[in-house]
């Protein structure tokens, strides 16, 4: 049998059958993992950001241990890499990239967008971050320090953006609605 | 072990030239000087893990580099933070 020419559905069935027969992974565990992967989306990260904007204790937990903060909002983190959270401030703007491949905090942001995996994004984020940000229409004051975080190893990183002005009194749900995936990668900032 | 604030240099080593490898240290940082931000933890060495070899836990640091120290035309206070394993770092 040539594995490259095998029909993918049959190959998948065969591998699943072997995993179950050898007691390595049960069908229920596979189903659970598929459900978790499908449920992961930028909406999960946005919920964390909105909660951090309104709850100082949660924000402190999120900056200390992103994984624990996600679990506190019932986001499944079992088996995922540690999650680090980078706080944007009036002094520092964070931008996340993986120059080696496409490391991405999938548990809280879902699948990485196509541009995150492109050679252009990966090289320019470290070589010319301000030029790249300008193309995203994100213009930072020259006194804001840009901190590029190259996600190279066992951590995954998300950005905690600054809460936009004019959102006082908004509910968590309404705040979560203005947080996009790019805001949590650092290519953009949330707008009300 | 390196303490936060320690000046370090990324080894100017190119294992790629010696055979098949899996390396998590980007090319553009080899031989560059940076500053340890903090210890992130210890993780099985991915260079062994990728080849299904026994992988001992290695210390992983967050290390900061001035963008101006990496690129001739970059200046200001912009910086880069990268996860690097202890065996790729030497005191600078």
């Amino acid at each position: 049998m040539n594995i490259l020419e095998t029909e993918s559905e049959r190959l998948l069935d065969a591998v699943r059958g072997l995993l179950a027969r050898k007691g390595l992974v049960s069908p229920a565990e596979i189903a659970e993992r598929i459900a978790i992967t499908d449920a992961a989306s930028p909406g999960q990260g946005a919920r964390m950001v909105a909660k951090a904007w309104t709850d100082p204790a949660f924000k402190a937990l999120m900056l200390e241990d992103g994984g624990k903060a996600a679990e506190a909002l019932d986001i499944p983190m079992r088996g995922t890499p540690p999650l680090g959270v980078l706080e944007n401030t009036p002094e520092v703007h964070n931008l996340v990239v993986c120059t080696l491949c496409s490391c991405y905090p999938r548990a809280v942001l879902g699948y990485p967008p196509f541009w995150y995996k492109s050679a252009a994004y990966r090289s320019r984020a470290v070589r010319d971050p301000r030029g790249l940000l300008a193309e995203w229409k994100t213009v930072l004051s020259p006194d804001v320090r840009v901190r590029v975080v190259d996600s190279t190893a066992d951590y995954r990183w998300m950005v905690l953006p600054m809460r936009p002005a004019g959102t006082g009194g908004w509910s968590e749900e309404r705040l979560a609605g203005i947080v996009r995936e790019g805001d949590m990668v650092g290519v953009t900032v949330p707008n009300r | 072990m390196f303490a936060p604030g320690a000046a370090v240099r990324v080894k100017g080593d190119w294992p790629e030239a010696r055979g098949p490898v899996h390396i998590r240290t980007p090319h553009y940082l080899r031989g560059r000087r940076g500053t340890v931000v903090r210890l992130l933890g210890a993780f099985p060495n991915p260079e062994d893990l990728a080849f299904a070899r026994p992988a001992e836990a290695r210390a992983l640091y967050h290390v900061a580099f001035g963008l101006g120290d990496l690129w001739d035309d970059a200046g200001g206070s912009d910086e880069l933070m990268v996860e690097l394993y202890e065996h790729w770092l030497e005191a600078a």
Side-chain angles (χ1 to χ4, degrees):
Chain A
M1 183 185 79
N2 181 342
I3 203 167
L4 295 176
E5 290 169 8
T6 306
E7 195 194 330
S8 57
E9 289 283 325
R10 286 185 60 204
L11 183 59
L12 180 61
D13 281 347
V15 173
R16 282 181 171 209
L18 275 171
L19 288 171
R21 206 157 70 235
K22 295 190 171 195
L24 295 171
V25 183
S26 73
E29 285 171 318
I30 293 176
E32 184 199 2
R33 177 54 58 186
I34 291 173
I36 288 172
T37 305
D38 285 347
S41 79
Q44 301 281 46
R47 282 204 297 138
M48 294 173 69
V49 169
K51 177 93 175 158
W53 283 346
T54 53
D55 178 344
F58 181 82
K59 177 181 167 183
L61 172 68
M62 186 164 156
L63 294 176
E64 172 71 28
D65 186 333
K68 275 191 190 152
E71 283 179 334
L73 297 188
D74 295 324
I75 299 169
M77 298 299 284
R78 187 164 62 86
T80 69
L83 175 65
V85 178
L86 307 154
E87 183 186 17
N88 281 353
T89 68
E91 291 81 35
V92 179
H93 178 90
N94 293 281
L95 176 69
V96 180
V97 63
C98 170
T99 58
L100 296 176
C101 46
S102 55
C103 296
Y104 194 72
R106 291 176 182 230
V108 290
L109 297 190
Y111 289 107
F114 70 94
W115 50 262
Y116 186 83
K117 300 187 265 188
S118 71
Y121 177 76
R122 286 157 51 203
S123 50
R124 292 195 59 220
V126 292
R127 184 66 184 82
D128 178 25
R130 282 183 192 264
L132 181 144
L133 288 170
E135 285 175 25
W136 282 89
K137 309 276 186 263
T138 303
V139 180
L140 303 170
S141 147
D143 21 299
V144 174
R145 179 163 23 119
V146 174
R147 179 192 290 140
V148 182
V149 176
D150 191 355
S151 184
T152 48
D154 286 79
Y155 258 67
R156 297 295 177 270
W157 302 97
M158 72 174 276
V159 174
L160 171 57
M162 283 191 291
R163 181 173 175 165
T167 57
W170 285 26
S171 69
E172 266 181 55
E173 197 180 3
R174 192 174 172 199
L175 287 167
I178 61 168
V179 181
R180 301 158 298 174
E181 66 186 355
D183 304 336
M184 294 176 281
V185 176
V187 290
T188 52
V189 295
N191 292 305
R192 61 182 291 260
Chain B
M1 296 294 279
F2 295 102
V8 289
R9 184 183 293 105
V10 182
K11 286 181 185 165
D13 191 19
W14 297 87
E16 293 91 338
R18 301 192 290 271
V21 287
H22 176 79
I23 303 287
R24 305 304 304 178
T25 301
H27 290 187
Y28 68 91
L29 293 174
R30 310 272 173 94
R32 302 294 186 155
R33 290 169 62 107
T35 306
V36 170
V37 178
R38 69 183 172 105
L39 178 68
L40 291 169
F43 298 88
N45 185 357
E47 296 168 19
D48 289 321
L49 215 50
F51 291 90
R53 298 189 290 251
E56 69 175 49
R58 294 279 172 88
L60 182 68
Y61 294 92
H62 228 183
V63 181
F65 300 84
L67 270 197
D69 293 335
L70 299 178
W71 319 119
D72 289 341
D73 56 354
S77 60
D78 291 349
E79 65 176 13
L80 179 93
M81 280 203 329
V82 184
E83 295 147 73
L84 294 169
Y85 281 94
E86 182 159 39
H87 61 274
W88 273 94
L89 301 175
E90 53 198 16

